Amino acid sequence: MMKVKAREVGHSTVVSVPKSFGIETGKEYTVAIDNLGTITFEPIDVNPFAQMATGELYQENKDILVDDYAKGLENVEY
């Protein structure tokens, strides 16, 4: 187990993350502390569709679609 020490930088308390953890600079996290003092950092996921133009996903994958009118009726008995 690795030990790190909290230190003061300006008006903040900072705990260094070892480089061996592979954390990319600029990555954002939500932070929580529980009643025992355990601090949890959870990565904020980026929406992979946020930068796509409307219809772009369809255009890139239309060759694998069965038909344009599939409505999720795969298990319906007629």
Side-chain angles (χ1 to χ4, degrees), residues 50-71:
Q51 302 301 320
M52 290 185 132
T54 302
E56 181 178 347
L57 188 61
Y58 169 78
Q59 290 300 324
E60 290 177 0
N61 296 287
K62 65 182 177 181
D63 59 320
I64 62 171
L65 297 175
V66 175
D67 65 48
D68 289 342
Y69 304 103
K71 300 290 184 196

Side-chain angles (χ1 to χ4, degrees), residues 10-26:
H11 295 289
S12 298
T13 301
V14 177
V15 177
S16 297
V17 177
K19 196 171 210 152
S20 62
F21 283 22
I23 305 297
E24 69 181 73
T25 303

Side-chain angles (χ1 to χ4, degrees), residues 27-48:
K27 178 79 175 157
E28 293 184 325
Y29 296 83
T30 56
V31 182
I33 187 166
D34 68 16
N35 58 352
L36 297 175
T38 301
I39 301 170
T40 305
F41 291 84
E42 187 173 331
I44 296 174
D45 293 327
V46 176
N47 181 348

